[in-house]
Amino acid sequence: LPPPPGGGGGEEHHAQAEEEEHVPHKHLFPLDAMDYSGILLASVGIVIAASGGIGGGGILVPICVLVFGFHPKLAIPLSNVTIFGSSITNVLLNMPKRHPLADRPLVDWDLIMVMEPLTIGGALVGSFVNKVLPELILTLSLVVLLAATAHRTLSKGIKKYQQESVALAKAGESELTRIVKAEADEAGEKQGLLASAGDPGAEEDDEEDGAGGAGGEADAAAKELGDMLEAERSTPMDKVQALVVVLGVVLALNLLKGGGAFPSPLGIECGHWTFWGVTVGIFAWVVGVSLVVRSQLVTRWRAKQRLAYRYVEGDVEWNPVNTMRYPMLCFFAGVAAGTFGVGGGIVKGPLMLEMGVHPMVASATSAVMIFFTSLTATTSFVVFGLLTWDYAAMLFCLGVVMTAVGQIGVGVLIKKYGRTSYIVLSIGSVVALSAVLMGLQSIIAMLSGEGEKSSSICDAGE
């Protein structure tokens, strides 16, 4: 519906919009003061979030509610479609990039296959917890969780910044000192060559002693290691296809299951044994995938141990312990995401930093995961008719453009100053802003009476 006649201004339109779920929001055009403010604030939030490779839903949802004036049920799909636009740019910019310390892609697909399935499983559990916990407990827990995560991540970023400052200071050693060291090393090498030249038969004797069966085994091991390194140089399309299948099955089962305000196309009723059967089936599916991935990673880790594979800074060794510990952390991160209604990036980014992953790898890998999850969620919102199309189109384009600004900007800064701590600080800043804005949104909702209604798993909700 068009805005009310009389040109009462943006504040009146937004104050009246979405008091009830069925009341439509104003059209995007003509833009009013609150629209311009929302676009500006969303642009800033997207740029900051893009620098860390995370979606920024904790910033965008409050902006859609408090500034654009949407009901939370419509604000979440708008936030998601913005993140989907951002993720497209992130994927296009990150997929061609190479690891800063090794000859392989920047995106770590092993990390994705470990994190994504159990994060989905955790989010499924968390979505039920969200339905039954009182609003006050949810709000307080959300603010505490985000504040603690922001503090830890920002502390890590500051510490890394200080370490980089020390490393850059050492790297500023004078050219004269480097020349003197190089000349000394060269002189030492010449003396070593002269000494070895005095006994030409020694090297031949050593070679003869080492000949035999050991040489054949060494050649076979070297070939196997070479094949492994060659396979790592390109994007593993089998893992990409596997992830598409995993998310496709989850999406299909969710759509068929229905629940709450969304009727099942198969007539499955929320609370019926078929509803819970499909829900358990989704959980069993993601757990089964995780167990298969764990088996493959442990097998490859043992091969790397046998071949004396050299890990670089930020690599995760997928030994039997880590392949249990980190997936469980991902599960609880997913529970937090589902319980508090925040996106995966806001928990996955800090989690990867806690795992010791290189900041550039964490940013790129998180961005790719967000692409798949936001595509899945956007598809659901389209099917259920929850998108406000004019605002969705505008915010989608805003996400595409402003993410390019954020990604290119942080890339220039890293290249110029040699500091990957900017990525860690960006992630921490997004989490801190999310803590403030989502806490504010929840408090306003409770004061207005929106958060006082009791709820159950099968309520439509708002």
Side-chain angles (χ1 to χ4, degrees), residues 86-106:
S86 300
S87 68
I88 291 175
T89 301
N90 267 324
V91 169
L92 292 176
L93 291 176
N94 283 312
M95 287 297 283
K97 292 181 181 178
R98 308 296 292 177
H99 195 290
L101 304 174
D103 185 17
R104 56 176 183 256
L106 184 60

Side-chain angles (χ1 to χ4, degrees), residues 208-296:
E208 289 177 2
D209 292 340
E217 292 179 3
D219 290 342
K223 183 180 184 305
E224 185 179 354
L225 179 59
D227 292 341
M228 182 182 292
L229 294 173
E230 180 63 27
E232 289 183 348
R233 293 185 67 250
S234 58
T235 299
M237 296 309 299
D238 57 332
K239 294 177 182 175
V240 178
Q241 294 165 359
L243 184 61
V244 170
V245 171
V246 170
L247 295 179
V249 170
V250 171
L251 174 61
L253 291 176
N254 260 325
L255 294 177
L256 293 175
K257 171 173 68 77
F262 313 132
S264 165
L266 299 181
I268 298 175
E269 294 183 5
C270 183
H272 192 265
W273 69 266
T274 52
F275 174 87
W276 292 113
V278 175
T279 301
V280 171
I282 296 173
F283 192 79
W285 166 249
V286 295
V287 171
V289 170
S290 296
L291 292 175
V292 171
V293 171
R294 178 181 186 273
S295 175
Q296 294 174 344

